[in-house]
Amino acid sequence: MDLLEVKGLTKRYKNFTLQDITFSLPAGYIMGYIGQNGAGKTTTLHGMTHLIKVDSGEVTLNGITYREDPVRFKEMIGYIGDETYFPTDLNAGTIRKILKDFYPSFKAEQFDAYLQQFRLDPRKKIGDYSRGMKVRLMFAAALSRDTKLLILDEATNGLDPIVKEEVLCMLQEYIEDGSRSVLFSTHILSDLEEIADYICLIDHGRKILMEEKETLREKYVLVKGGTEELQAGIGERLIGLKQTLVGFEGLMESDDTIYLPKNCTVEQPTLQQIMLYCVKDQGGTWNGDH
């Protein structure tokens, strides 16, 4: 049984619709939930966690829906966003007391150990913390509870390389026992190159693809060539074709390379390039960072 099942999640706004988002994630894995800014990533996460009311769809976490047991459902989720959700006029010591009263599974001693490990002064106001310190505090809060799913919503934006590496290591440690998973929503694909097991891409509120990351890497190649090679009739096999005055570049399924003229160049695409050309093929443009 999958740890996380999202079925038909739909939310309609005046100028945007998140439409029929469906995917699943087994226990013990990390999924990159990706798309450019405004694609619907945060709307999906807020719908999953019932921060907003969706029009239709259902989420099952470890066999439980929110409708069946809302307390246990939310207890199993740890959420880390791009901004701290803790009041900035409080300190970590006060947050410790609040979490202890609010979450039955919260372990105060473990929280204190994380504060010491992350070098966070429990007496210092959260508003005086750096961006990296605020992210560490959210991790300390989430990892001190009996969670099954850790959700990151653009949580690594603006972090310095050292803190970012620390965060990525924590994610891998979190899933080590095989009973928990991570849903990592981001438009910075370099963060997912090494740690993601699955990739789910959405654009303009629709799911474009969902694959194992290694399957994606095997499925596609990046093709480059001159104008004369493009005239050989391969354009219809290219995904997200980009033409210049002297040639072309595009994504192609690996099995279709048998149709390529000899002078074409074939390269292994990065995850960034795969996503860029898949979005372009849908008529969109990718605004994510490299």
Side-chain angles (χ1 to χ4, degrees):
M1 182 179 69
D2 290 318
L3 176 72
L4 173 66
E5 294 180 89
V6 179
K7 295 182 179 178
L9 210 64
T10 298
K11 176 65 177 178
R12 298 178 183 89
Y13 294 101
K14 183 178 180 180
N15 298 314
F16 175 81
T17 299
L18 186 76
Q19 187 165 328
D20 194 28
I21 298 296
T22 298
F23 62 88
S24 58
L25 178 61
Y29 292 93
I30 297 174
M31 174 181 284
Y33 191 63
I34 68 174
Q36 60 185 324
N37 290 329
K41 302 187 301 297
T42 297
T43 301
T44 304
L45 301 184
H46 286 179
M48 287 174 53
T49 54
H50 290 264
L51 290 175
I52 61 172
K53 184 178 180 181
V54 297
D55 297 309
S56 60
E58 189 167 61
V59 178
T60 304
L61 180 56
N62 205 30
I64 298 173
T65 65
Y66 181 84
R67 175 173 41 83
E68 293 168 334
D69 192 339
V71 174
R72 179 58 185 147
F73 184 90
K74 288 204 168 187
E75 177 87 4
M76 289 190 291
I77 296 175
Y79 184 90
I80 300 168
D82 63 341
E83 296 289 341
T84 181
Y85 42 74
F86 295 124
T88 56
D89 59 335
L90 301 182
N91 59 36
T94 304
I95 295 300
R96 176 186 187 271
K97 296 176 182 178
I98 294 172
L99 293 173
K100 185 176 181 181
D101 292 337
F102 194 78
Y103 291 107
S105 69
F106 179 76
K107 302 177 182 65
E109 297 80 7
Q110 191 169 340
F111 181 75
D112 290 340
Y114 278 122
L115 293 184
Q116 185 174 3
Q117 177 185 335
F118 298 155
R119 300 176 298 281
L120 298 176
D121 185 345
R123 299 162 298 181
K124 188 175 182 178
K125 285 188 177 181
I126 296 169
D128 295 329
Y129 278 4
S130 68
R131 166 98 171 96
M133 293 168 72
K134 291 174 183 176
V135 170
R136 289 187 181 107
L137 179 60
M138 288 188 284
F139 265 100
L143 298 178
S144 298
R145 297 191 286 112
D146 184 20
T147 58
K148 289 296 182 182
L149 178 68
L150 196 58
I151 294 177
L152 275 70
D153 186 7
E154 304 285 1
T156 56
N157 287 0
L159 294 181
D160 67 63
I162 294 176
V163 177
K164 184 177 290 189
E165 182 65 24
E166 183 180 13
V167 166
L168 299 182
C169 288
M170 282 191 285
L171 297 182
Q172 291 174 316
E173 291 172 359
Y174 180 78
I175 63 168
E176 273 183 355
D177 68 359
S179 68
R180 302 180 291 192
S181 294
V182 173
L183 184 62
F184 191 168
S185 171
T186 183
H187 68 281
I188 305 175
L189 302 190
S190 57
D191 292 344
L192 301 175
E193 287 284 357
E194 297 300 323
I195 67 165
D197 302 294
Y198 292 87
I199 298 293
C200 184
L201 168 66
I202 68 169
D203 191 53
H204 292 93
R206 295 173 179 267
K207 185 177 75 174
I208 304 300
L209 62 82
M210 181 198 159
E211 296 272 8
E212 290 187 35
K213 185 183 66 180
E214 294 308 314
T215 299
L216 278 177
R217 286 176 166 168
E218 295 171 1
K219 184 176 181 179
Y220 297 110
V221 293
L222 185 67
V223 179
K224 300 177 182 179
T227 304
E228 59 276 12
E229 281 81 29
L230 188 60
Q231 291 172 346
I234 63 169
E236 63 185 21
R237 299 183 184 276
L238 291 168
I239 300 167
L241 172 64
K242 181 171 69 175
Q243 297 186 61
T244 67
L245 293 176
V246 296
F248 73 92
E249 182 176 300
L251 208 64
M252 178 179 280
E253 292 195 10
S254 300
D255 291 344
D256 284 346
T257 54
I258 59 174
Y259 301 104
L260 287 176
K262 292 182 179 179
N263 292 334
C264 288
T265 301
V266 177
E267 301 175 359
Q268 179 68 48
T270 64
L271 189 59
Q272 176 84 22
Q273 289 169 325
I274 294 173
M275 300 305 107
L276 186 153
Y277 284 106
C278 285
V279 168
K280 180 177 171 61
D281 197 58
Q282 298 290 321
T285 56
W286 180 268
N287 297 319
D289 296 339
H290 289 275

